[in-house]
Structures are given as C-alpha cells and as structure tokens.
Amino acid sequence: MSLKPSSSRRDFLKKGALAGVAAAFVPGARVVGEAAARAPRKAFAGPIAISSRNGTRAVEKAVEVLRSGADALDAVIAGVNIVEGDPEDVTVGYGGLPNENGVVQLDSAVMHGPTGRAGAVGALEGVKYPSKVARMVLERTDHVLLVGKGAQDFARMHGFPIEDLLTDKAREMWVRWKETLSNRDDYLPPHKPTDRDIGANLEEVERHWGTIHCSAIDLSGNISCVTTTSGLSFKIPGRVGDSPIIGAGLYVDNEVGAAGSTGRGEANLENLCSFLIVERMRMGDSPEQACLYACQRIVDHTRLAYLLDDRGRPKFNVKFYALNKAGEVGGAEIWGGDNTFAVADAAGSRLAPLAYLYKRER
Ligand code: GLY
C-alpha cells in the first residue's frame, strides 16, 4: 500500500474508468465475465477484520469472535458494539454528538455477504446499539431500512431499552456549538460580566462526521460488514447520512469483497461509493485502488462553490475502507498524509496507512 497516488496512478485511474465505460458499451461485451477473468481470486479463509481508525478494539474483538468459528456478521457487530457503548467516542452510539436540538440520532446498517441481505436504521433515538437494531431489521422484517419513531418502536418491541444517550461531554460540546454559532441570536458563550466584545475571538467549533465501519472475513471465507454513527454533529433533526444507506455507507458482495465509509455523508450519498468500490474490485482493482477511484469520483462530482477551496478541491474529507475475497485490504481518503485504518488478523492488530489524493497541510 503506497501512501500517495503518483500522477501515473491518477492516469491509471482515469484510464481504468474509460476502459470500464468502453467495455460497457461494446455490443455483446460481457463486462462481468471479463472482469471476473481479469481478477481471478482465491478465496481467503479469515479471520481478518478492518475498520476505520477508531476501531482498533473493534477489529481485535471481531477477530476474537471469528476465531471461534462465528459468522462474519456476528463478529463485526460484536466489534463495533464496543465503540457504540463507549461514552468517550463522541461520534458513534452512546455519547455521540446530538442534533441541533440536543437529541442524539443514530444511523446504522449491516450487510451479510452469504445471503446478500441487509438491515438498517436511520435517525434512531434512545438505543445505545443501533447496529443490533439494524441486524434485527435484517432478521425479523421483510424490510431493509426503518427510520425515526418507527425504528424506535421496532427496537422497543424487540426489548431494546430506550435510554437518554446524551452524555455530559456531548451536551457540553453541543452547548458550546450553540452559543458560538452566531452573533445574531440570543445565546452567549461563557464570559466575564465586564467583557464588552463577547465571543469575538472564539474559534469555530469543529463539526464531526466520525463513524465506525467494520468489515470481516470469517473462517468459511464469507464476508459481512457494518457501519454505525451518530452522524454529522449538530445536524438538522431528521438528517440521515450515508451510513445506513446500502451502497453508500457500506456494501458487500460475498464473491468480491466489502467496502465502507466515514466522513461527509452527503458527498457519498450522491455517489454511492461503497457499491462503486466493490464493483471496481470486481473489475480487478485492488482495495486501495478502488477506494482511490471512489475518492476521485467525489472530487469530480463536487461542483458547489462553497464546498471547494481556491484550487477547486473539496474542502471536506471522505474515507473509504475495503477488503477483497482474497483477504487483501486497503483504504483511501480525499485529504490525508499520515492517516491510518485498523486491521486485525491471526497475526494481531495494526494500523495500516490510508492512501490519499491530496496531502493535508498541517
Ligand atoms: N458518514 C457519516 C455521516 O455523514 O453521517
């Protein structure tokens, strides 16, 4: 895995895209058959698990579960449950940053490779482990996605406790955001009674798009994945990001591989990049090449001026993680330099470098 795509790699990515388009329009071309012929793969029998960087404990747990012979879906959910239940991680599950009204709304999806089935929840309130509810949607309904009150009623029906997920840490971050958002409303940040220019020098409060994605291959060579998040911090109530959308926040094809995302969900929703990455791997891309390809797709499709810097590059970041049927792993992001993702297998866990399109200046 090299850190940065060279210009020749960019050319390769572009040529790869053109080749794909050309093949798709040649009369009689059998794109899937040709792609499969280009990418013969020996199935890898796990255990292996990958996740976003906040998931070291998750991939270690997933591999521990896989070693017992468990299905990959059991393993990835057990892994991310550690992060969902951790009040210190303000981007996932319990302790996640709330919406603009101070209410924590969670998105999550799971996908099971061997059956090709998926389950998801969006804007779910009050349940610490949304990935477990997503799995319940997969197993106990004929649907794929439940949202809002319906998702919560469904969780309650299946015995999930409904709790207040807003921790003091997340509440304080939300209050600070609210008090420093604008000087045209009536909220004031902490100040001395003698201050005359309240809040004038406050730095902008950072918005978070943190999320955890985890994919794994079990001992039978089957692949499953999960993505779970509290979504964009201080979002408009009801906003659902890419995480619970199959093909955007995650995707698996048991014969090819799996992919998932973290970062600005809106950019991914408009490009369905997890599906794109799996299709690129089907055509022969390595996981890293496929993730870079998806990053480039987002860059090419981002046109709104307020999202672009003075050189026409997106101001935001999106990250992708992928593994293929052969057990190869890779990841990439739009803006990077020294970022990593978590990998665990029979040899232990490690952080592996994420490739990137643009180097972030510190
Ligand atoms: N990628 C997480 C979100 O946008 O909600």
Side-chain angles (χ1 to χ4, degrees):
M1 283 175 288
S2 66
L3 268 179
K4 188 175 188 317
S6 61
S7 55
S8 60
R9 167 171 278 169
R10 295 247 189 94
D11 291 341
F12 163 79
L13 289 170
K14 288 209 168 107
K15 280 183 200 141
L18 291 173
V21 170
F25 288 95
V26 173
R30 294 187 63 247
V31 174
V32 172
E34 283 181 8
R38 259 186 277 140
R41 269 183 210 103
K42 193 169 176 308
F44 172 82
I48 189 165
I50 61 167
S51 85
S52 38
R53 188 168 56 178
N54 54 347
T56 297
R57 289 174 299 162
V59 290
E60 287 171 353
K61 178 69 182 178
V63 164
E64 181 192 318
V65 173
L66 290 171
R67 279 173 177 279
S68 71
D71 187 281
L73 187 62
D74 292 328
V76 293
I77 293 174
V80 300
N81 284 169
I82 294 173
V83 185
E84 288 178 323
D86 180 358
E88 290 305 310
D89 189 317
V90 295
T91 67
V92 177
Y94 177 53
L97 288 169
N99 66 20
E100 68 179 19
N101 291 342
V103 177
V104 180
Q105 293 187 320
L106 304 175
D107 298 338
S108 184
V110 299
M111 194 162 180
H112 185 235
T115 58
R117 291 179 63 192
V121 289
L124 172 63
E125 297 177 13
V127 182
K128 267 186 183 165
Y129 300 103
S131 63
K132 292 188 183 182
V133 186
R135 185 198 185 123
M136 197 66 88
V137 174
L138 180 158
E139 289 180 344
R140 303 288 286 272
T141 78
D142 185 40
H143 305 320
V144 170
L145 174 61
L146 297 180
V147 302
K149 184 171 182 309
Q152 191 190 64
D153 289 347
F154 174 78
R156 187 185 287 109
M157 180 177 112
H158 283 285
F160 288 89
I162 308 301
E163 305 167 73
D164 183 0
L165 305 185
L166 187 66
T167 58
D168 268 350
K169 178 177 172 178
R171 182 186 55 72
E172 281 166 17
M173 290 172 78
W174 166 63
V175 170
R176 179 169 155 69
W177 169 78
K178 211 168 170 64
E179 289 178 342
T180 57
L181 183 62
S182 165
N183 59 7
R184 300 178 69 185
D185 63 27
D186 300 326
Y187 295 104
L188 300 178
H191 61 282
K192 296 194 209 81
T194 50
D195 284 350
R196 291 174 60 86
D197 200 1
I198 298 162
N201 297 318
L202 280 169
E203 78 280 15
E204 204 179 315
V205 175
E206 202 186 335
R207 307 283 297 276
H208 293 261
W209 280 287
T211 295
I212 182 166
H213 167 77
C214 186
S215 293
I217 305 179
D218 62 30
L219 301 184
S220 305
N222 289 318
I223 311 170
S224 288
C225 57
V226 58
T227 301
T228 185
T229 187
S230 51
L232 174 65
S233 56
F234 322 130
K235 59 197 170 189
I236 295 174
R239 178 263 189 191
V240 171
D242 58 332
S243 302
I245 305 303
I246 308 304
L250 77 175
Y251 195 73
V252 57
D253 182 317
N254 205 43
E255 302 310 315
V256 178
S261 68
T262 62
R264 181 180 156 81
E266 282 70 13
N268 187 18
L269 280 169
E270 290 173 338
N271 291 281
L272 295 179
C273 288
S274 291
F275 181 76
L276 177 64
I277 290 166
V278 171
E279 291 309 298
R280 289 300 304 185
M281 292 196 293
R282 189 194 306 280
M283 294 167 70
D285 274 6
S286 71
E288 184 181 288
Q289 286 169 337
C291 291
L292 281 167
Y293 187 92
C295 291
Q296 188 64 50
R297 175 66 59 88
I298 287 177
V299 170
D300 293 345
H301 285 185
T302 301
R303 299 180 186 109
L304 285 170
Y306 74 91
L307 294 173
L308 299 171
D309 69 11
D310 52 11
R311 292 171 58 186
R313 304 169 301 184
K315 289 181 187 164
F316 55 82
N317 204 6
V318 185
K319 304 179 187 191
F320 297 106
Y321 318 89
L323 55 71
N324 66 17
K325 189 72 176 168
E328 297 164 334
V329 303
E333 59 187 335
I334 296 174
W335 287 97
D338 53 10
N339 284 340
T340 53
F341 66 106
V343 186
D345 55 20
S349 65
R350 59 193 176 278
L351 291 174
L354 277 178
Y356 58 90
L357 292 181
Y358 306 121
K359 190 166 176 60
R360 192 182 286 289
E361 279 143 31
R362 303 260 169 215

